[in-house]
Amino acid sequence: MSKIRVLLAEDHRTVRQGVRLLLDTQPDVEVVGEAGDGRAALLLARELAPDVVLMDVSMPEMNGLRATEKLSEELPRVRVVALTRHTDRAYMQQLLQAGAAGYVLKQSDSSVLLQAVRAVAAGGNYLDPAIAAKALSGYFGRRPGGGGAVGEVRLSDRETEVLRLIALGYSNKEIAARLALSVKTVEAHKANAMRKLDMTSRIDIVRYAMLQGWLQDT
């Protein structure tokens, strides 16, 4: 079985060394590079094409948010796990909008970081349990389009499957191939589902997927 190739982007050497020591003990993980700032992380990611980048949010030269945006644009198959001490939901939303597939608090147990690395490497998304409740809070009691609660909205089987695959990180083209549909049909199912659920962004899809339990086994 091939190992998960990880690039570490963290400006504090001591923290970086600690994370590397943790990852080096895992038989299914290989650290392929280290960077001390966002610009260096981007250059190394282009060179090494890792499976996962562990991205510190606060770094010199180029911060983790901007580096994540650039990676998402240039190397969409490279998955980013944001590392931060910020528990504020705004930080998490910004990173997810930028393209991060995972969000982990530095103060959390090391097992959380390992779960995140494996989840996003497998194509899923991961939110630190300590902040997941904040991420989901906007959905409880929400009434899409002024109608009933989220749970009362009826999606077709195709709409459900398309949303689930989007939440797991697949592109429209990849979803079309998996479901034997055209890209335009996938886009139509996505648009219909988001309209029914009053969604406006990928963050909304990930929240909904978590509420439905779609990401639990990733």
Side-chain angles (χ1 to χ4, degrees), residues 122-191:
N125 293 275
Y126 188 93
L127 296 182
D128 193 307
I131 201 172
K134 289 186 178 182
L136 297 172
S137 61
Y139 260 96
F140 292 112
R142 183 177 174 184
R143 295 180 174 272
V150 167
E152 298 171 3
V153 176
R154 292 186 178 276
L155 300 180
S156 71
D157 290 343
R158 279 301 192 201
E159 289 166 353
T160 298
E161 187 65 7
V162 166
L163 278 195
R164 187 182 71 83
L165 291 172
I166 291 171
L168 290 173
Y170 290 93
S171 67
N172 288 348
K173 185 176 180 180
E174 291 169 331
I175 294 170
R178 285 177 68 94
L179 301 182
L181 301 171
S182 70
V183 174
K184 285 188 177 180
T185 299
V186 169
E187 291 172 347
H189 285 313
K190 174 186 175 183

Side-chain angles (χ1 to χ4, degrees), residues 27-149:
D28 59 334
V29 178
E30 176 186 9
V31 178
V32 296
E34 298 181 24
D37 62 72
R39 196 173 303 280
L42 188 58
L43 291 173
L44 276 177
R46 290 168 179 159
E47 177 186 345
L48 301 173
D51 300 308
V52 177
V53 177
L54 293 180
M55 184 79 74
D56 183 22
V57 175
S58 302
M59 289 188 294
E61 297 294 329
M62 179 187 294
N63 64 35
L65 176 63
R66 181 58 180 151
T68 298
E69 289 175 336
K70 296 288 287 183
L71 274 175
S72 181
E73 293 169 2
E74 298 180 22
L75 300 168
R77 291 191 175 276
V78 175
R79 311 280 282 168
V80 174
V81 175
L83 290 175
T84 179
R85 294 190 179 278
H86 295 291
T87 60
D88 188 275
R89 189 168 72 178
Y91 275 90
M92 181 198 62
Q93 289 180 327
Q94 286 183 322
L95 266 296
L96 292 179
Q97 286 178 329
Y103 193 93
V104 174
L105 299 177
K106 290 182 179 181
Q107 56 267 41
S108 291
D109 189 82
S110 59
S111 62
V112 173
L113 178 59
L114 295 176
Q115 288 173 5
V117 169
R118 294 183 175 114
V120 301
N125 293 275
Y126 188 93
L127 296 182
D128 193 307
I131 201 172
K134 289 186 178 182
L136 297 172
S137 61
Y139 260 96
F140 292 112
R142 183 177 174 184
R143 295 180 174 272

Side-chain angles (χ1 to χ4, degrees), residues 182-202:
S182 70
V183 174
K184 285 188 177 180
T185 299
V186 169
E187 291 172 347
H189 285 313
K190 174 186 175 183
N192 288 337
M194 292 183 71
R195 175 180 52 79
K196 288 179 180 179
L197 295 167
D198 194 26
M199 293 177 172
T200 60
S201 68
R202 177 173 169 268

